[in-house]
Every structure is written in C-alpha cells, then in structure tokens.
Amino acid sequence: MVVKIEQIKDAGLKLDEPIAPGVLKEALEGQGSGEGTGFQATAPSTLQATLRKVSGGVLLTGGFTVHVGAPCKRCLADVKLDLPVSFTINLVPESLARGDDFKDDDEKAMEKKERTQGESGGTFELGEADEQVFDGKTIDLDPIIREQVLLALPMNAVCREDCQGLCSQCGQNLNEKKCGCETKVVDPRLSPLKNIKLN
C-alpha cells in the first residue's frame, strides 16, 4: 500500500483500505528471517489512517484490528484473538534527516523546537511521535503495518487465564476432565527409598 505525497492535500488524506493478506502473512510467518511467530491470520483487516503534512514531513495516525489464531501455550487448544492496533508516526523525508548530520546540537535543538512549537496532534507534541524516514515522494505503508502487527502480538496465547494445561504424564487436557494420574511425580532414582520402613 503506497501513498504519493501529492495525494495528501492541505486537509490531509484519510484512508480506509483493506490490508493485503500477504502483508499479514509475511509479518506473522517471518518470511525472510526464517522465524515464524506461531500466529496465523484468521480474518482480513482494514487500515483506517490519516496522513497530514506537518513541518516538511508527514504525520501518520492509524489503527486496525488484527485477527489471529494460535495454539494455547498450556493446552494446545486453538485460540482466536482480536488485537487492536493504534499508532502515530512522524515520517521525515530523507533530505531533512540527512541535513541533520551537518548541523551542530544548537541548530538541531532550535529546529526541533520550531517543528513542535504550536503544532500538536491532540494530547502529544509532534516530537513525541515515533519517527521514521521515507524517500520524500512516496510512503510505503506495508513495512509500517508489519511492524505494528509484530508489536501487537502477545508473547504467548492462552485460551483462558486459568487454563489447567495438559497432564505431564498422560497428556489429558485437564480443562476437560481430570485424568487420575498421580500429581506428585517421584524421581525414579529415589523410588527405592519408598521401601525403607522406619520404626
């Protein structure tokens, strides 16, 4: 999903676009890195975003809900999650980002103050938004979406907070029924000690 700078008018540009299934798949399966997340997309997602030109750059505010599924960490049952994602990113053209290399700290501080002075996006200053560099002509939203999907994923999926998991001896799902296995596992090396009788 690519946006050209000339598409962003003075009033801004609003997007309500479906996210390509390939973008979600690439993020979740970690294509290129060889490491998957263990999650799969279960339903399509739609990006709602607003782009506004500010201080030579673009302020991107967006959100979507990513629908994913994964096996429960404890009992391996299928878990479906609807994860809300929202983000604000200050996109800076390469020309402005490169220009900072040749300026001293006072000039950088003065420019940052000028950029953020009087321009706020609600309850935050522009300087507080995450910054990313773009080529100055087009904004590719796919890498941003992939990054936001990965940031939204939980470390592990569980079917419920009080999931009992699987029995370590017979593999029975303890959420469905108790298995009757002895819960206290004795180290087999110490089992001969059970035969000692003390008077």
Side-chain angles (χ1 to χ4, degrees):
M1 194 181 310
V2 177
V3 175
K4 294 180 180 173
I5 290 299
E6 56 262 26
Q7 291 177 277
I8 306 172
K9 305 302 178 196
D10 291 339
L13 174 67
K14 288 192 181 292
L15 296 176
D16 193 356
E17 298 285 328
I19 297 171
V23 173
L24 294 175
K25 184 176 181 183
E26 193 175 316
L28 297 171
E29 293 181 4
Q31 292 178 353
S33 70
E35 293 182 26
T37 61
F39 291 88
Q40 291 93 29
T42 58
S45 298
T46 302
L47 171 69
Q48 284 93 27
T50 304
L51 295 99
R52 284 190 308 130
K53 289 182 181 177
V54 286
S55 306
V58 175
L59 183 68
L60 167 63
T61 307
F64 58 93
T65 300
V66 61
H67 310 280
V68 294
C72 174
K73 175 189 171 188
R74 298 178 193 158
C75 71
L76 303 179
D78 288 336
V79 179
K80 290 191 177 181
L81 301 170
D82 298 324
L83 306 171
V85 177
S86 61
F87 56 92
T88 301
I89 298 173
N90 191 13
L91 298 160
V92 181
E94 282 177 351
S95 57
L96 286 179
R98 271 199 313 262
D100 281 350
D101 295 340
F102 303 103
K103 296 174 186 167
D104 62 25
D105 291 338
D106 289 339
E107 284 180 299
K108 289 180 188 176
M110 184 64 102
E111 280 191 6
K112 185 173 183 178
K113 185 177 178 185
E114 286 172 5
R115 278 204 308 259
T116 60
Q117 197 171 30
E119 289 185 4
S120 65
T123 58
F124 68 93
E125 296 295 321
L126 284 178
E128 294 174 9
D130 287 338
E131 280 193 358
Q132 288 191 12
V133 177
F134 74 107
D135 68 7
K137 296 176 185 173
T138 59
I139 299 167
D140 187 358
L141 296 175
D142 291 349
I144 295 170
I145 292 168
R146 282 194 294 271
E147 179 183 55
Q148 295 303 320
V149 167
L150 291 173
L151 289 171
L153 293 176
M155 290 294 289
N156 295 297
V158 289
C159 58
R160 59 183 203 225
E161 287 302 316
D162 63 341
C163 175
Q164 301 292 310
L166 302 175
C167 173
S168 60
Q169 294 175 38
C170 71
Q172 169 66 43
N173 185 338
L174 299 175
N175 295 317
E176 296 170 0
K177 68 175 185 173
K178 299 291 179 203
C179 60
C181 292
E182 191 175 319
T183 55
K184 200 171 188 181
V185 180
V186 178
D187 187 329
R189 295 170 295 178
L190 299 177
S191 59
L193 296 176
K194 289 194 299 186
N195 300 328
I196 297 176
K197 297 196 188 237
L198 299 172
N199 290 343

